[in-house]
Amino acid sequence: MALEAQSAAIVAQFDYTDEQVNSAVNEFRRQMTEGLEKDGTSLSQIPTYVTGVPNGTEKGLYMAVDLGGTNFRVCSIQLNGDTTFNLTFSKVAIPRKLMVAKTAQELFAFLAKQIELFLQTHHEDHFEQHVRRRMTMSSPDGYKDEHVFRLGFTFSFPVQQVGINKGTLIRWTKGFDIPDAIGKDVCALLQNEIDKLHLPVKVAALVNDTVGTLMARSYSSPGKTGTVLGAIFGTGTNGAYVEKLSNLKKPLSGEYDKTTGEMVINTEWGSFDNQLSVLPNTAWDVALDKASPNPGIQMYEKRVSGMFLGEILRLVIIDLLKDPKVSFFKDENSSSNDWKSTTNIVSDSSIYTQWGVDTAIMSVAAADNTPELSTLRGELEKQLDICSAGLDDAQAFKAIANAIGRRSARLSAVAIAAIVLQTGKLTDSANADEPIDIGVDGSLVEHYPYFRDMIYEALRTIDGIGEEGAKRIRIGIAKDGSGVGAALIALVAAGMEERLTTADYLGELRSNAKSNNLTVVPEDGETAAQD
């Protein structure tokens, strides 16, 4: 009975009430506004220079590359214009020596070589033509470069983005350490190596994978209006949404298309409320943060994402095991165990090691509704070397795991609700019958049982959304933001470049005409008359 009472007390500590959810939504919106007005805030609210989302009618052949860790992926994506696409890709491991190379050139030359090999294998016709871009006024779009691939570059390291295809590396993570690259434009580094190989490829866009999720969902989802939010709820968590340019008050350098009146914003919401003004903060949250590599930051992510949920659970389990008043994963004799055995934890069980509990076991606990919890008990032995766990042990483990998972889902709803309310879509009478589309990706929303159900449960309790508003919010899986999404951003970038460059070229022509006393700007094929 002591175990049941103690586990119930722990479960109560992870309860995040409706009132707390609403307070957090209000604070999230306040921090969103603050991040749009200035730098150095909890929510970074990073402008992406992407000023539109697709509607599923886009066509064309684009490329995408993804450097996100120890592998490098090269893709080509044929957009069919009917919300469908065809994807071809190759993947190669990054040699360890290049992850710590002396110069950035060594790594980026390797990446460019993989692009060349991909083109040779999958697009030999394009590879042989090597048609490069040139300006011309003989075509309405100002280009004769139909054979040049526009490429979206997903680069999953911290960068300071200053244009749709410009961004300087702030620091390396994930085992990379090439000091020579710090402060350099990663798109230019890749383009330089592509050009050395004379490849018909232009790095058109620097891509954040969350922005890619937004784009991929907007292309493939049905409806008249585009997707408003792309979100990751997996190992980490982040969101990117469509914001009105008029709300973006902080200085914005670099060129971008102002005609849409919108820009996609990368929230970097993992750092929401680092001050802990509205986020829950149990003793186990404190312990996890203190022992983490980055104490004091990413406080929202540490309560939501899959990377941390298993560790929170592990810390709770360890405290229960240390409690002399509670019999948890231990039996006086076999008579107290429903399997007529005694529970043992192997001495080198990963339960005793930091990060030793994978969040996947929480999914098992949530899914196992059998009377004896036999599936969960089997996984406790398989994953954590907890042998012959009793039913009461498994029930306590399940209850605590579920409470941690439910809190994560309700906190996830906070971010979703804040952005839905920020967009004003719920009160927009012009699209009153249209769903508010949200694209999500990641292991929690894909594989954790009932996670989306728990998000909706929380959404229904939020002021300004309620039962009716929650019905209009459509949360759908968006796959391959770093591939399809990156290609779609390259498409947007190509359109931007076309408009901006053509306008610049016409301006230069007019300026030259004026300085040379030309009476008109010549049309293609005409000769201007001089006075």
Side-chain angles (χ1 to χ4, degrees):
M1 193 64 183
L3 174 59
E4 185 179 350
Q6 185 63 11
S7 62
I10 291 168
V11 165
Q13 292 188 58
F14 286 100
D15 186 31
Y16 200 55
T17 67
D18 295 350
E19 183 180 354
Q20 289 172 314
V21 167
N22 274 280
S23 294
V25 170
N26 292 334
E27 178 62 14
F28 198 104
R29 292 192 69 187
R30 188 195 70 77
Q31 292 189 22
M32 284 176 71
T33 301
E34 185 179 54
L36 292 170
E37 293 174 347
K38 60 185 178 181
D39 292 322
T41 58
S42 284
L43 285 181
S44 297
Q45 295 286 76
I46 300 168
T48 66
Y49 296 84
V50 177
T51 55
V53 296
N55 60 19
T57 63
E58 293 79 5
K59 294 182 180 181
L61 184 61
Y62 294 87
M63 287 190 71
V65 296
D66 180 10
L67 181 65
T70 55
N71 293 313
F72 181 63
R73 191 169 68 133
V74 185
C75 314
S76 64
I77 298 94
Q78 177 68 54
L79 303 171
N80 299 323
D82 57 359
T83 75
T84 70
F85 58 85
N86 300 89
L87 183 144
T88 305
F89 75 93
S90 66
K91 186 164 68 173
V92 63
I94 305 290
R96 175 63 191 166
K97 65 179 182 180
L98 291 181
M99 295 171 68
V100 292
K102 290 184 178 179
T103 66
Q105 187 272 333
E106 295 173 65
L107 172 64
F108 284 88
F110 172 82
L111 304 184
K113 187 64 178 177
Q114 303 313 308
I115 295 171
E116 180 183 49
L117 293 172
F118 180 86
L119 288 174
Q120 286 177 328
T121 304
H122 300 289
H123 298 281
E124 190 177 2
D125 52 339
H126 282 71
F127 180 76
E128 289 176 348
Q129 286 168 355
H130 292 291
V131 178
R132 303 301 296 168
R133 187 182 77 171
R134 67 181 179 88
M135 285 299 304
T136 176
M137 291 304 295
S138 63
S139 64
D141 61 358
Y143 288 97
K144 276 285 182 75
D145 64 342
E146 60 270 23
H147 300 298
V148 176
F149 276 107
R150 291 305 196 276
L151 178 143
F153 183 15
T154 300
F155 185 77
S156 299
F157 301 90
V159 294
Q160 179 65 46
Q161 192 159 356
V162 293
I164 198 162
N165 67 343
K166 295 182 178 70
T168 56
L169 177 64
I170 297 171
R171 64 183 177 274
W172 289 106
T173 57
K174 307 173 189 177
F176 283 76
D177 186 15
I178 310 171
D180 174 61
I182 304 296
K184 293 182 178 177
D185 181 352
V186 294
C187 289
L189 288 170
L190 181 58
Q191 188 69 62
N192 288 342
E193 299 307 317
I194 287 171
D195 290 345
K196 287 178 185 178
L197 297 174
H198 305 291
L199 302 179
V201 175
K202 177 184 172 73
V203 181
L206 181 61
V207 179
N208 171 280
D209 58 354
T210 311
V211 182
T213 297
L214 168 64
M215 303 296 278
R217 174 66 185 179
S218 194
Y219 178 79
S220 60
S221 67
K224 291 188 298 183
T225 57
T227 301
V228 299
L229 168 65
I232 307 291
F233 296 107
T235 305
T237 185
N238 190 21
Y241 74 103
V242 182
E243 180 61 272
K244 296 180 182 71
L245 271 174
S246 58
N247 291 334
L248 183 56
K249 308 293 187 184
K250 59 187 175 184
L252 192 59
S253 61
E255 293 182 331
Y256 58 96
D257 182 4
K258 300 179 179 66
T259 61
T260 66
E262 297 178 331
M263 182 175 287
V264 175
I265 300 293
N266 169 20
T267 65
E268 291 295 337
W269 71 33
S271 61
F272 164 61
D273 195 31
N274 283 338
Q275 308 86 348
L276 297 178
S277 58
V278 294
L279 286 178
N281 199 34
T282 69
W284 304 289
D285 294 309
V286 173
L288 179 144
D289 179 57
K290 187 177 179 181
S292 71
N294 55 351
I297 61 173
Q298 298 297 102
M299 301 304 261
Y300 179 75
E301 184 168 72
K302 286 172 180 172
R303 287 150 178 77
V304 170
S305 75
M307 179 177 180
F308 298 100
L309 300 184
E311 179 63 8
I312 295 172
L313 175 61
R314 189 191 73 84
L315 291 169
V316 175
I317 299 308
I318 291 296
D319 275 4
L320 272 176
L321 289 171
K322 290 177 179 177
D323 189 340
K325 301 187 296 295
V326 175
S327 179
F328 185 50
F329 290 136
K330 48 184 178 276
D331 301 301
E332 288 184 18
N333 56 59
S334 60
S335 66
S336 58
N337 186 307
D338 64 308
W339 277 358
K340 303 306 176 187
S341 182
T342 54
T343 305
N344 289 286
I345 305 177
V346 177
S347 60
D348 61 352
S349 165
S350 59
I351 197 81
Y352 299 120
T353 305
Q354 186 184 26
W355 313 116
V357 175
D358 193 307
T359 302
I361 201 168
M362 295 174 63
S363 296
V364 174
D368 189 357
N369 292 312
T370 60
E372 294 185 341
L373 297 180
S374 52
T375 304
L376 173 58
R377 292 158 84 176
E379 287 302 308
L380 286 170
E381 182 163 353
K382 181 180 176 182
Q383 293 189 36
L384 301 178
D385 291 316
I386 300 175
C387 306
S388 301
L391 177 59
D392 54 346
D393 298 327
Q395 287 170 334
F397 186 96
K398 176 182 171 75
I400 294 165
N402 286 355
I404 295 168
R406 183 172 183 268
R407 188 185 73 165
S408 168
R410 290 174 73 82
L411 286 169
S412 301
V414 166
I416 292 171
I419 285 171
V420 167
L421 292 170
Q422 174 78 2
T423 65
K425 297 289 186 183
L426 280 172
T427 54
D428 180 6
S429 57
N431 295 294
D433 297 325
E434 279 292 300
I436 298 164
D437 195 73
I438 292 168
V440 294
D441 193 10
S443 54
L444 287 174
V445 286
E446 277 199 85
H447 304 305
Y448 194 104
Y450 317 116
F451 196 83
R452 274 186 280 177
D453 292 343
M454 292 186 288
I455 289 175
Y456 276 110
E457 177 192 51
L459 289 174
R460 288 191 287 270
T461 71
I462 293 168
D463 297 340
I465 295 180
E467 290 277 351
E468 292 306 309
K471 289 177 184 176
R472 285 187 58 197
I473 297 172
R474 181 176 64 196
I475 301 173
I477 297 295
K479 295 302 294 177
D480 205 8
S482 63
V484 177
L488 286 158
I489 296 173
L491 178 149
V492 170
M496 269 181 58
E497 178 190 313
E498 181 181 306
R499 286 188 293 274
L500 291 169
T501 312
T502 304
D504 290 344
Y505 186 59
L506 285 169
E508 186 177 343
L509 273 181
R510 291 190 177 97
S511 177
N512 289 340
K514 188 174 181 180
S515 63
N516 292 323
N517 295 317
L518 296 179
T519 56
V520 294
V521 176
E523 298 295 330
D524 184 49
E526 294 182 346
T527 302
Q530 287 187 289
D531 292 335

